[in-house]
Structure formats: structure tokens, C-alpha cells
């Protein structure tokens, strides 16, 4: 089955949403709470250890009903089935999109080209488990007989961001292995890392689905040259392993076939941390925790696949993005995790969301006339409060923000946790309610300011409020809840892509820059600048001076 190809703006629901928006746009959150004091409970979804409150969004029941109608009219139900069934929904690359199969339990079967891919997935998982156990317990040794104590993951994009984000998020669960990630083709990145490590005790995990990515190959080659300075050629096979679907290129690099961890063309780079791409995660926190991560993601997949849209977290949150993006014309969304462990989550989501849904041609091959993919950004709270929150509170832009917090901390320091969470709750309340002129004047009067001072200062101290937020409150940061959270975002990407009538699983937009870079690299090498625009020509000449 193919995906529906419905232009969302031609649906009845879109028209109704436009009319609804015209009537509703000026209704403030304060008014909505006054009209329906219980909306806090009404617009919330409780699922397992998640409590998702979207009542501080500029919506009412009509909004949600119409957004759900939009999802239905654009064929989301049928699309979800196609996706989980393994239809080739990544049409421009003629591939299925089955990262969901990577976290399916062994008891499930998913047929692709008359083959049960779940069995393949579990065979690779078993290979990962055996390998990880041996590295962690020191059974597997380097060429001089020393156990490994350092892992260097070399990869970029999906072969880096997921593992980095997850290993940072799960640092609490980490074992003794030191972990480094090298991604940038900027040589300072790899050399800074090589300075810190010991070739005798380092295991390099080279992660590249294609094994043709310039950055990863350059870094892997540099690491290998550095390694040869202290070790014989044949030792490479002991210190370098790979995660790739390009077996030929990997073996040519010198990596032994039995230490290649495969992945399949139905796993997109930015959705691949659940595959062998997550090897450094499993090495860092142990295979049991890696499995718990997968289990959490599978639970979210099941929630997404089987729950009616009105109570379906990825569907509701995905539709809210559409409400702001396409009707309020909000350009960006902030993601603010109130957990230092999640400091790389916004960067990870930038690839997931923006590489997937930053598209301007629809599934009919037509140029799109409405907005797609929103801009994602964020930093952990409370640090973010001391950085960009000023703009959220008093700036001129509408920025829906998502607050992610945990009820329990990991080190059980209740004093810190209560302060952190007090900020977490205070910020969404402040963003919603703001501070009125009357309040400001009263406060200034109480502080004994003169009337003249009060008149002068008041305009600057008013907060208009009415800034929409969603709060995701989770029991505790564990491998399982992290898996649930990441899968929630993955499924939202799908929802939005379907409604926007775009293909979310290709990324042709990253190709042009890559092509030009390789062309310019050869010009730099030969010091012969050919035909560019006058700006690029001048810059290149300056560089070569
Ligand atoms: O940025 C483009 C991209 O193709 C990503 O989608 C992918 O995650 C990354 O490059 C790395 O690709 P590979 O794993 O093949 O090296």
C-alpha cells in the first residue's frame, strides 16, 4: 500500500481549522482557564509513567476535534498501518521504514520480501550482546593483551547524534569504559581525542551505514594512521570494529568481517540508534540497559499504533505543532529538558525533526504552498532560563515550548530536585499567565517606589503571558523511559509528515553541499580555482593565499 497523497489544505478539516483559527486566535490562555477551570485535567494524557499536560496550549475541544479530523482526512490511520507493515513508504529511495522492527520483541514477526526481519534483528542483537559482554568484562583484549578501557565512536549525523545523546542521557547507568565521540571532519576534533587515549586499550567503533561518508572515513583513516604508529598492521582488526551495511568498504578498510555489525536499508540514519548503531550505547551502559531502552521504545510504538487519536500522545503533540506552524504561523519550537543528562536532546531532535520534515515538495511531486518542518532548538533548564528565556517571556515571537521533567532525580538529592522542579512548574505558569500592569504597579508600590518611578518602570515589567507550553512529566530518567521519550518524538515526526503530505524519510537536501564540497576539496588540493560566483571565488583565493 502506498501513502495517501492528500494536500492537507484541500481538506474540510483544514478549512474548518482556518475558520476556527480566525475566531479563536485572540482567546488567551488565561481566559480559557477562567472559562474551564478543569481544563488542566481535561487536556492531559496519562500513559504508563508519563503525564502529558497540553492544557496550556491555545486550544479548546473544537481545536482538538478538528485537528483529529485533519489527521483522519489526510489518511493517518492507513499510513500508520503501511508504516508498521513495512510498505516501501520511503518512496524516493524505494525503501520500507522499519526502525520499529528494531525494538520489536523476538516473538513478533515482520515480513519483508518474504523474510522475517525480526529474526535478523535479534540475531544481530545477540552478536552485539556477546561482543559487549566480552569488552565490558575484559575478556576481549587489544593486541598487546590489555583489556579495553576506552571506546571511540567515529560517525556523524544519525551515526553519532543518537549514541551521543543517549550515552549522555544515561551517564548515571554507565560502566567503567571511557567513551569519546568523534564526528566533525574538523581535524581538531579527532586529534584532540587521540591526545587523550591509549592505543593499547582503545577500541574504535566506526559507524557509517554507507561507509562512504567523507567525515567518518577521514576520521577513521586518521585514527588508523595514528594507531599504526604504535601497532602492526594486523592489529587493526583487534582495535577497529564497524557498524555498516557496506561490508565491502569496511573489509577493505581492514576490519574483520566477524566484527562488522550490520544494519539494513530500512533503517534510516536518524532513526538508527536502536540498531547496531547503538553499539557504543550498549558498550557504555551494558546490553541489559540497551534492551530496556528498546523495550521503552516498543511500548511507545504500541501506544502510537493502537490508541485512538484523541488519547494518542504522538498524534496529539504532532497535531499541535501543525496548529501552531500552519495556523499561528509560528516558525520554531523550543524543547527544554529539565535534566542536565538530556543536554543533547535538542541537538538530536534537530536532525530527527528537521532532516525529516524540512521538505518543500509534496508526495505528488508538487511544490508545497504551506509551511512544513518547524525549527527545533533548546537547552536544558534551569540553564536556559538564564540564557534565552527573556525572549520567550517578553520577546515578539510566538514560540511554543515543550518542558520535559522527571518526578524523581537519580542521585536522590531532594533539595536540588525540588528547586529544579519548582522552576519547571513556575516557568510554564509564568509563560501562560504573565504579569499584568496592575500586578506590576502593585509590586512597585509595595517596594516603595515613587509614582514617577512606577510610571516609568511599569511598561518594562509587564509580561503579556499567553505563551503556549506542553509539559511532559515522567517518573524518572531510566533507559526505558528514555526509549519511550525518543520514540514519542519519532512517531510525531511521522504524524506531521503524513499530514503535511511529504516524504519524511529521505534527505536529498543534504546532498548538494556534499557534492560541492568534494569538488571544492579537489580545487583546494590543486590550488586551481575554477568557475564559482565572485563571492566564492574571492573567499577561496583568500583561503589559499
Ligand atoms: O546528514 C546526512 C546523512 O545521510 C544522515 O542522514 C546520516 O545519518 C549521516 O549522513 C551519516 O551517514 P552514514 O551513517 O552513512 O555515514
Amino acid at each position: 500500500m502506498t501513502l495517501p497523497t492528500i494536500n492537507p489544505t484541500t481538506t474540510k478539516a483544514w478549512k474548518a481549522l482556518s475558520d476556527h483559527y480566525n475566531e479563536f486566535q485572540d482567546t488567551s490562555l488565561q481566559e480559557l482557564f477562567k472559562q474551564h477551570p478543569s481544563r488542566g485535567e481535561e487536556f492531559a494524557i496519562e500513559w504508563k509513567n508519563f503525564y502529558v499536560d497540553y492544557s496550556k496550549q491555545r486550544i479548546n475541544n473544537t481545536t482538538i476535534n478538528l485537528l483529529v479530523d485533519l489527521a483522519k482526512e489526510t489518511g493517518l490511520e492507513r499510513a500508520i498501518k503501511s508504516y508498521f507493515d513495512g510498505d516501501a513508504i520511503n518512496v524516493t529511495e524505494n525503501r520500507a521504514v522499519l526502525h520499529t522492527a528494531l525494538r520489536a520483541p523476538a516473538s513478533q514477526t515482520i515480513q519483508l520480501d518474504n523474510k522475517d526481519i525480526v529474526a535478523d534483528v535479534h540475531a544481530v542483537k545477540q552478536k552485539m550482546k556477546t561482543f559487549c559482554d566480552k569488552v565490558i568484562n575484559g575478556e576481549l583484549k587489544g593486541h598487546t593483551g590489555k583489556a579495553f578501557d576506552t571506546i571511540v565512536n567515529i560517525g556523524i549525523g544519525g551515526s553519532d547524534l543518537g549514541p551521543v545523546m543517549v550515552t549522555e542521557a544515561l551517564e548515571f547507568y554507565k560502566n567503567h569504559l571511557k567513551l569519546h565521540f568523534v564526528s566533525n571532519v574538523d581535524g581538531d576534533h579527532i586529534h584532540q581525542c587521540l591526545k587523550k587515549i591509549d592505543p593499547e586499550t582503545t577500541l574504535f567503533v566506526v559507524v557509517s551505514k554507507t561507509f562512504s561518508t567523507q567525515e567518518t572515513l577521514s576520521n577513521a583513516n586518521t585514527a588508523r594512521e595514528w594507531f599504526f604508529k604504535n601497532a602492526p598492521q594486523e592489529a587493526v582488526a583487534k582495535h577497529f570494529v564497524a557498524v555498516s551495511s557496506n561490508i565491502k568498504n569496511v573489509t577493505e578498510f581492514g576490519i574483520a568481517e566477524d566484527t562488522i555489525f550490520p544494519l539494513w536499508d530500512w533503517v534510516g540514519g536518524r532513526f538508527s540508534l536502536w540498531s547496531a548503531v547503538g553499539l557504543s550505547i550498549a558498550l557504555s551502559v551494558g546490553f541489559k540497559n540497551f534492551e530496556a531502552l528498546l523495550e521503552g521504545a516498543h511500548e511507545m510504538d504500541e501506544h502510537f499504533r493502537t490508541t485512538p487519536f484523541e488519547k494518542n500522545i504522538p498524534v496529539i503533540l504532532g497535531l499541535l505543532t501543525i496548529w501552531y506552524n500552519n495556523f499561528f504561523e509560528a516558525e520554531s519550537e523550543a524543547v527544554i529538558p529539565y535534566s542536565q543528562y538530556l543536554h543533547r536532546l535538542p541537538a538530536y531532535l534537530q536532525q530527527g525533526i528537521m532532516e525529516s520534515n524540512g521538505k518543500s515538495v509534496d508526495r505528488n511531486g508538487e511544490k508545497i504552498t504551506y509551511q512544513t518542518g518547524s525549527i527545533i532548538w533548546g537547552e536544558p533548564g534551569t540553564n536556559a532560563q538564564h540564557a534565552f528565556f527573556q525572549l520567550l517571556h517578553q520577546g515578539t515571537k510566538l514560540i511554543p515550548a515543550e518542558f520535559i521533567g522527571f518526578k524523581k532525580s537519580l542521585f536522590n538529592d531532594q533539595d536540588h530536585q525540588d528547586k529544579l522542579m519548582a522552576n519547571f512548574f513556575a516557568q510554564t505558569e509564568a509563560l501562560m499567565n504573565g504579569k499584568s500592569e496592575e500586578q506590576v504597579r502593585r509590586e512597585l508600590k509595595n517596594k516603595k517606589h515613587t509614582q514617577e518611578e512606577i510610571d516609568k518602570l511599569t511598561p518594562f515589567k509587564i509580561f503579556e503571558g499567553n505563551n503556549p507550553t506542553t509539559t511532559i512529566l515522567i517518573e524518572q530518567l531510566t533507559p526505558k523511559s528514555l526509549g519511550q521519550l525518543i520514540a514519542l518524538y519519532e512517531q510525531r515526526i511521522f504524524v506531521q509528515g503524513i499530514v503535511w503530505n511529504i516524504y519524511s524519510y529521505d534527505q536529498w537536501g543534504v546532498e548538494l553541499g556534499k557534492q560541492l564540497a568534494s569538488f571544492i576539496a579537489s580545487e583546494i588540493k590543486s590550488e586551481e580555482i575554477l568557475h564559482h560566483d565572485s563571492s566564492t571565488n574571492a573567499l577561496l583565493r583568500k583561503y589559499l593565499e
Side-chain angles (χ1 to χ4, degrees), residues 217-279:
L217 292 190
S218 302
N219 284 325
N221 283 326
T222 302
R224 191 179 50 176
E225 275 163 33
W226 168 85
F227 181 75
F228 282 156
K229 285 187 191 144
N230 304 285
Q233 297 264 345
E234 62 276 12
V236 165
K238 284 201 162 171
H239 287 257
F240 285 76
V241 301
V243 178
S244 185
S245 51
N246 188 342
I247 313 296
K248 186 176 159 282
N249 282 19
V250 180
T251 44
E252 274 167 21
F253 179 87
I255 292 175
E257 221 173 312
D258 62 333
T259 50
I260 302 174
F261 296 85
L263 71 155
W264 305 271
D265 70 357
W266 42 264
V267 183
R270 54 193 173 273
F271 302 94
S272 64
L273 70 87
W274 324 96
S275 70
V277 168
L279 189 65

Side-chain angles (χ1 to χ4, degrees), residues 8-305:
T9 63
T10 63
T11 61
K12 271 206 251 150
W14 190 281
K15 170 86 190 56
L17 277 162
S18 301
D19 295 343
H20 170 61
Y21 170 76
N22 290 335
E23 279 165 26
F24 186 75
Q25 58 175 315
D26 295 324
T27 314
S28 71
L29 282 165
Q30 294 98 314
E31 281 168 66
L32 289 170
F33 269 87
K34 224 176 266 159
Q35 284 162 16
H36 295 285
S38 63
R39 66 181 265 129
E41 289 98 61
E42 210 177 311
F43 295 111
I45 302 175
E46 205 156 0
W47 172 77
K48 294 192 186 281
N49 49 355
F50 275 52
Y51 183 79
V52 180
D53 175 342
Y54 57 101
S55 64
K56 294 191 187 84
Q57 294 289 359
R58 288 161 70 172
I59 52 156
N60 62 13
N61 278 319
T62 308
T63 327
I64 293 296
N65 292 339
L66 291 175
L67 286 169
V68 167
D69 287 348
L70 176 67
K72 289 184 178 161
E73 262 192 86
T74 49
L76 182 62
E77 276 158 343
R78 169 185 143 194
I80 293 174
K81 188 166 169 7
S82 284
Y83 166 41
F84 279 86
D85 282 354
D87 295 342
I89 62 165
N90 176 357
V91 168
T92 65
E93 295 179 335
N94 192 25
R95 289 172 186 168
V97 175
L98 275 170
H99 44 274
T100 50
L102 298 167
R103 52 240 192 174
S107 54
Q108 204 176 320
T109 52
I110 299 172
Q111 295 289 332
L112 193 67
D113 301 329
N114 300 321
K115 203 165 186 277
D116 174 24
I117 57 165
V118 179
D120 290 349
V121 166
H122 282 266
V124 175
K125 273 169 68 179
Q126 187 53 47
K127 181 172 167 166
M128 286 171 70
K129 180 183 180 324
T130 311
F131 181 77
C132 290
D133 287 351
K134 283 188 186 165
V135 174
I136 295 166
N137 68 27
E139 203 182 309
L140 207 72
K141 297 190 184 351
H143 75 109
T144 57
K146 289 189 184 166
F148 295 110
D149 64 8
T150 304
I151 309 294
V152 179
N153 187 98
I154 299 179
I156 196 164
S159 298
D160 168 74
L161 281 164
V164 179
M165 184 274 284
V166 172
T167 50
E168 289 288 309
L170 299 182
E171 195 185 352
F172 180 79
Y173 303 88
K174 206 178 155 348
N175 56 32
H176 65 284
L177 294 170
K178 286 178 250 135
L179 196 58
H180 300 274
F181 287 89
V182 177
S183 50
N184 203 325
V185 76
D186 173 0
D188 293 346
H189 198 186
I190 181 85
H191 288 291
Q192 188 60 44
C193 170
L194 296 176
K195 218 168 90 176
K196 290 185 259 186
I197 61 176
D198 176 354
E200 285 186 71
T201 55
T202 297
L203 177 71
F204 291 94
V205 181
V206 186
V207 188
S208 176
K209 185 175 157 187
T210 54
F211 221 80
S212 64
T213 305
Q214 185 206 46
E215 290 90 336
T216 304
L217 292 190
S218 302
N219 284 325
N221 283 326
T222 302
R224 191 179 50 176
E225 275 163 33
W226 168 85
F227 181 75
F228 282 156
K229 285 187 191 144
N230 304 285
Q233 297 264 345
E234 62 276 12
V236 165
K238 284 201 162 171
H239 287 257
F240 285 76
V241 301
V243 178
S244 185
S245 51
N246 188 342
I247 313 296
K248 186 176 159 282
N249 282 19
V250 180
T251 44
E252 274 167 21
F253 179 87
I255 292 175
E257 221 173 312
D258 62 333
T259 50
I260 302 174
F261 296 85
L263 71 155
W264 305 271
D265 70 357
W266 42 264
V267 183
R270 54 193 173 273
F271 302 94
S272 64
L273 70 87
W274 324 96
S275 70
V277 168
L279 189 65
S280 52
I281 302 172
L283 283 165
S284 168
V285 295
F287 201 78
K288 219 168 153 220
N289 282 322
F290 182 67
E291 278 199 306
L293 182 84
L294 267 51
E295 199 186 316
H298 176 68
E299 286 181 0
M300 181 54 80
D301 292 343
E302 285 307 284
H303 165 78
F304 174 57
R305 201 175 59 80

